[in-house]
Amino acid sequence: MATKDRAVRQSVTLPARVAQRIRTLARDGRTSASRVLVDLVEAGLEAREAEKRRFMDLADRLARSKDPAEQGRIKKELARLTFGE
């Protein structure tokens, strides 16, 4: 987890189904719903950053590659990351 920063109060509206899942996770983990939300948001942000790094690494590999077969594989992976296909 990231270093402790100054806390900022933020109000969000969640769909009832999501709020219930958050409360269940909090109860099962014996923690607060707020802590569960912070953990989930941080995990999501880290995942998004990792996905961006993966994309940039693939773009760099594509730019350096001289092998048409490898270029094709990299292009397919970049398309999957971009369009979910």
Side-chain angles (χ1 to χ4, degrees):
M1 191 166 77
T3 59
K4 295 286 183 186
D5 291 320
R6 184 177 64 85
V8 176
R9 191 166 201 47
Q10 179 72 47
S11 177
V12 296
T13 302
L14 300 172
R17 189 177 123 268
V18 172
Q20 180 57 48
R21 291 176 68 189
I22 297 297
R23 285 191 297 272
T24 299
L25 286 169
R27 185 186 66 239
D28 293 350
R30 298 175 192 242
T31 190
S32 69
S34 181
R35 178 79 258 158
V36 170
L37 285 168
V38 168
D39 290 347
L40 289 171
V41 169
E42 286 178 342
L45 291 171
E46 289 170 9
R48 176 135 329 156
E49 290 169 6
E51 188 174 286
K52 185 176 180 179
R53 282 191 305 273
R54 171 83 174 129
F55 181 90
M56 296 307 291
D57 289 345
L58 284 169
D60 287 343
R61 280 183 48 207
L62 179 60
R64 290 190 313 265
S65 178
K66 304 287 188 225
D67 179 17
E70 181 184 29
Q71 290 173 344
R73 287 190 300 273
I74 294 170
K75 286 178 184 179
K76 284 182 182 179
E77 181 65 14
L78 286 169
R80 188 190 66 74
L81 287 173
T82 303
F83 304 112
E85 297 174 3

